Amino acid sequence: MKKIMVDIKNHLMTGISFALPVIIAGSLMVAVAKIIGLAFGAADLNAFAEQDGLSHWLHLTQETGFKIIGLMNYVLGAYVAYSIAGKKGLAAGFTAGLIASLTGSGFLGAALGGLLAGYSSEWVSRKVQITGSAATSVPLIILPFITVGLQVLVMLLLLGDVLSWLNTSLMAWVQQMTEDGTSTVLLAVVLGGMICFDLGGPVNKAAWGTGNVLFLSGVYMPAILVNVAIIIPPLGYAAARFLRPGNFSQTLKEAGNGSVIMGILGISEGAIPFTLKNPAR
């Protein structure tokens, strides 16, 4: 059992090592666009979506950066599967990332789907043996059909509604607490815990989305709390990386460098490489 857990952790870290440059590149694009915009007195670049010139370019740069960050689930799912099964796991791994994005399960869904994709691809390649001229159909047709089908069955059909229900229920719960006059400290504890619980997953998105929806309705406190909480995990790990560099591998040192930028921008996914290293802690 211990060996299995170590193997799973290594596969997850391999996936993270591929996903990390994607997150950092996207974050840098967003940061540059926002900094230039702020230098010209523009705090919200979305206002320039329909304009021309530099302002429109800044908006497009910001949106491109966010799209690149959005590729994280795809890369994570694909390369977790790749670390287990090689090229034959990529199709199902990318499917895992797609389903994670569609269902809102975030990096947890992508990681779980990537493991399912990798192990199922390895199992199918060993168990399905066809000889003769039809042998080429195994990697091209049979294996992707089974492994992608498993992703649809398990990660979408079985878990999709559960994740959607969880997301909707959490948003309704936060809104109810705000309307009931729950104490600020208790509200901060609940929202902060939700933000940091799964680092970009459905619980995180429920708290963040609810805070910002209420902000647009003139209820400001939840938005303040979630946007303070969202920077704590990445900046905390970044601080640890610089204060105690000897405690971290080269991969996590690079992750810590990126966490500085992602923390400043309020992207909690910057804490994922450290969290996956020791999820229980």
Side-chain angles (χ1 to χ4, degrees), residues 217-239:
S217 303
V219 181
Y220 303 119
M221 183 56 69
I224 295 171
L225 298 176
V226 297
N227 284 288
V228 169
I230 207 168
I231 70 173
I232 292 174
L235 289 182
Y237 282 125

Side-chain angles (χ1 to χ4, degrees), residues 29-160:
M29 293 190 69
V30 174
V32 168
K34 285 186 174 293
I35 290 171
I36 296 175
L38 289 171
F40 287 94
D44 183 10
L45 298 180
N46 292 324
F48 304 129
E50 305 299 329
Q51 297 186 15
D52 298 322
L54 176 63
S55 58
H56 184 62
W57 178 84
L58 290 174
H59 168 74
L60 291 179
T61 302
Q62 172 188 264
E63 293 305 301
T64 301
F66 281 131
K67 294 292 185 183
I68 292 173
I69 295 171
L71 294 175
M72 186 205 71
N73 288 338
Y74 298 82
V75 177
L76 177 60
Y79 283 97
V80 167
Y82 179 82
S83 72
I84 299 170
K87 291 190 295 184
K88 56 182 176 288
L90 283 175
F94 277 115
T95 304
L98 171 63
I99 293 174
S101 296
L102 290 176
T103 60
S105 58
F107 88 93
L108 290 175
L112 180 62
L115 292 171
L116 173 63
Y119 285 118
S120 63
S121 297
E122 189 67 22
W123 185 85
V124 171
S125 66
R126 291 200 315 267
K127 296 298 182 179
V128 178
Q129 300 292 333
I130 298 178
T131 58
S133 59
T136 57
S137 66
V138 174
L140 293 177
I141 301 174
I142 297 176
L143 189 146
F145 175 77
I146 295 174
T147 55
V148 171
L150 278 174
Q151 290 293 327
V152 174
L153 177 63
V154 176
M155 302 304 297
L156 182 61
L157 297 181
L158 295 183
L159 299 181

Side-chain angles (χ1 to χ4, degrees), residues 160-250:
D161 289 341
V162 174
L163 293 172
S164 176
W165 171 83
L166 177 64
N167 193 36
T168 303
S169 299
L170 288 173
M171 289 186 69
W173 180 44
V174 172
Q175 186 166 356
Q176 186 65 39
M177 281 195 301
T178 304
E179 294 172 351
D180 287 348
T182 303
S183 75
T184 302
V185 173
L186 179 58
L187 189 61
V189 169
V190 172
L191 290 177
M194 292 171 67
I195 283 291
C196 301
F197 176 73
D198 55 359
L199 303 174
V203 179
N204 172 288
K205 289 295 188 292
W208 186 85
T210 301
N212 286 280
V213 167
L214 294 174
F215 180 86
L216 295 175
S217 303
V219 181
Y220 303 119
M221 183 56 69
I224 295 171
L225 298 176
V226 297
N227 284 288
V228 169
I230 207 168
I231 70 173
I232 292 174
L235 289 182
Y237 282 125
R241 174 261 179 272
F242 288 106
L243 291 173
R244 295 290 182 88
N247 291 352
F248 300 97
S249 66
Q250 185 59 36

